[in-house]
Amino acid sequence: MPMFTQRITAALAGATALSLALAGCGDSGGTSSSSGEAVTSLSILDYYNNEPDKSLVQKGLDACATKLGVTLQRETVPGADLIPKVLQQASSKTLPDVLMLDNPDVQQIAATGALAPLNDLGVSADGFTQGIVDATSHDGKLYGLAPVVNTIALFYNTKLLAEAGIQPPKTWDELRAAAKKLTKPGRYGIAFNANATYEGAWQFLPAMWTNGGDETDLTSPQVAEALQLWVDLVTSGSASKSVINWTQGDVKDQFVAGKAAMMVNGPWNIPSLNESPQVKWEVVQFPVNKPGQTPIAPLGGEAWTVPLNKDAAKQQKAADFVKCLSSDENELAWAKARFTVPTRTALGPQYVKEVPSMKAFSEQVANARSRTGKLGEKWPDAAKVIYQAIQLALTGQASAQDAFKKASGS
């Protein structure tokens, strides 16, 4: 499921560079094997602490542990606790042998010198989706591998669209028209998340990026046009004014309850949707503003990294473990079990054949972008401007044309 950068930003501010830099010359936990002893165990830290993800991920971890002949000491923590935990372990030189990070966090942690470059340990990202390679690389070196990723697209209620004689929208004009026609008493045409968090910024990126907008210039006409789409949907009554407060979970609840005919959301909601068989749905890529544009959405998902370790043998074994997690077999197993998309592009056709409901997401991932691909460690600053501008525009405090200037203080 998705995790977002708000979890890390405050924890990293000020303290990170100092605290994590200590890890560069520290030891990871576990018994040393520098004397030549065989590595028999690896410690792991991740935030998959809720079911069913915890158990599903454990199966993949166990498969690689068996293959490499090691036992695992796994610790899971809530998502909000991961970065504080990493900071504490860095300062006490007890970082795990294998560390899972949300993909937008990898560059920030790598920049501190806490992680080992995987290229130097025989790990390559050849054949992986470019967006996730961008997210897990820093200064030309690879610091993490993500076996699977996710993104967001447009879900629609097939029954409601059929009753209204509407085809799934392919352009923004069609989206506006469809949402308006599908809006009835007690039901909005579309639901999306526009709250004042990094989650709200994440849901805006398909409109911004698809239209040629860029986080390096948030005051461009292309970005303003994307924000105008959100404004139009709310001011026309096709979307609830409450989108400024909704989480992605709230959006899903509106869709399941029949209070929204379409929604912008991710595949982590599919298990919940499958528990409501009365709701018939399908998914398409996010619409484009103008014909000929390519739908571009953000990449979500977690990467597995190797903290620096004085014990060279253990560090190498950890890198081999990370490599194993992204084997063809493991990627497909995790993708099918968790409704995610394999990051090895060659696996796409086979995966879609086996899990047809993930077709649109697999297509969307092919052109998806890393949030940190252009700004690196500065991405959280841009994301904050994005969600603040959305709030200003949707609450009528600024026009779509002026909201980003106001939010950035320019």
Side-chain angles (χ1 to χ4, degrees):
M1 63 182 168
M3 293 289 176
F4 299 96
T5 320
Q6 69 263 37
R7 204 185 49 252
I8 185 175
T9 305
L12 284 177
T16 304
L18 176 62
S19 299
L20 285 181
L22 298 173
C25 56
D27 295 302
S28 285
T31 303
S32 173
S33 60
S34 54
S35 61
E37 298 176 6
V39 178
T40 59
S41 67
L42 292 173
S43 56
I44 296 177
L45 176 64
D46 64 78
Y47 61 45
Y48 296 114
N49 69 315
N50 292 319
E51 297 295 353
D53 272 338
K54 184 176 182 178
S55 295
L56 293 174
V57 169
Q58 187 68 53
K59 290 181 180 179
L61 299 177
D62 288 342
C64 286
T66 299
K67 182 177 180 179
L68 296 179
V70 296
T71 59
L72 303 177
Q73 288 84 49
R74 181 188 181 194
E75 180 179 7
T76 62
V77 297
D81 296 343
L82 180 67
I83 295 305
K85 181 80 172 180
V86 170
L87 291 171
Q88 182 274 321
Q89 290 182 336
S91 63
S92 61
K93 302 181 183 180
T94 56
L95 282 167
D97 302 312
V98 178
L99 172 64
M100 186 225 72
L101 293 168
D102 194 9
N103 82 76
D105 300 344
V106 173
Q107 291 189 7
Q108 300 185 58
I109 302 300
T112 69
L115 304 178
L118 296 181
N119 316 81
D120 298 344
L121 297 169
V123 179
S124 168
D126 291 347
F128 282 66
T129 299
Q130 188 58 45
I132 199 64
V133 177
D134 293 341
T136 55
S137 298
H138 179 69
D139 285 347
K141 291 199 172 185
L142 180 72
Y143 286 91
L145 282 184
V148 292
V149 290
N150 59 57
T151 188
I152 46 180
L154 185 70
F155 287 78
Y156 64 95
N157 186 307
T158 55
K159 180 182 178 182
L160 296 179
L161 265 69
E163 289 175 349
I166 296 172
Q167 294 295 315
K170 296 181 178 180
T171 67
W172 293 2
D173 284 344
E174 291 177 0
L175 180 64
R176 291 185 182 97
K180 184 175 182 179
K181 190 172 182 180
L182 289 163
T183 298
K184 304 290 182 183
R187 183 185 78 205
Y188 290 98
I190 188 170
F192 53 89
N193 164 353
N195 66 15
T197 71
Y198 293 95
E199 194 174 87
W202 149 275
Q203 282 232 328
F204 178 69
L205 291 177
M208 184 176 93
W209 283 346
T210 295
N211 198 42
D214 195 288
E215 56 270 33
T216 62
D217 182 11
L218 290 172
T219 59
S220 72
Q222 292 87 350
V223 176
E225 280 185 324
L227 183 52
Q228 189 64 52
L229 173 63
W230 261 207
V231 172
D232 290 346
L233 291 170
V234 172
T235 57
S236 68
S238 299
S240 172
K241 293 180 180 179
S242 296
V243 298
I244 62 171
N245 298 314
W246 283 347
T247 65
Q248 292 181 120
D250 296 329
V251 169
K252 179 263 298 180
D253 291 342
Q254 294 290 314
F255 186 77
V256 169
K259 295 180 180 180
M262 300 182 289
M263 70 169 176
V264 180
N265 227 319
W268 52 88
N269 287 303
I270 291 178
S272 179
L273 292 174
N274 288 342
E275 293 176 359
S276 303
Q278 75 279 7
V279 181
K280 306 300 181 183
W281 55 269
E282 290 187 12
V283 189
V284 292
Q285 293 192 71
F286 191 83
V288 299
N289 185 16
K290 303 170 185 176
Q293 290 180 328
T294 299
I296 301 175
L299 273 176
E302 294 77 31
W304 298 85
T305 70
V306 177
L308 282 176
N309 193 327
K310 285 184 178 179
D311 187 335
K314 178 155 281 196
Q315 183 171 270
Q316 183 61 60
K317 184 68 75 171
D320 294 341
F321 187 84
V322 167
K323 183 177 181 179
C324 175
L325 293 179
S326 286
S327 67
D328 288 5
E329 181 181 9
N330 209 46
E331 284 201 11
L332 282 171
W334 269 356
K336 288 188 287 187
R338 301 178 56 230
F339 291 98
T340 48
V341 178
T343 49
R344 292 182 182 271
T345 55
L347 299 177
Q350 177 184 348
Y351 176 58
V352 170
K353 184 177 181 180
E354 296 183 26
V355 191
S357 63
M358 290 296 293
K359 181 176 185 294
F361 290 109
S362 184
E363 294 170 343
Q364 193 87 73
V365 161
N367 295 302
R369 277 179 48 189
S370 156
R371 282 159 280 174
T372 54
K374 291 195 174 184
L375 293 180
E377 304 159 63
K378 296 181 180 178
W379 161 250
D381 297 331
K384 186 176 181 179
V385 172
I386 290 172
Y387 71 67
Q388 288 178 338
I390 293 170
Q391 291 278 306
L392 290 171
L394 293 186
T395 56
Q397 299 178 66
S399 67
Q401 289 70 33
D402 296 333
F404 281 94
K405 294 179 181 178
K406 189 172 181 179
S408 60
S410 60

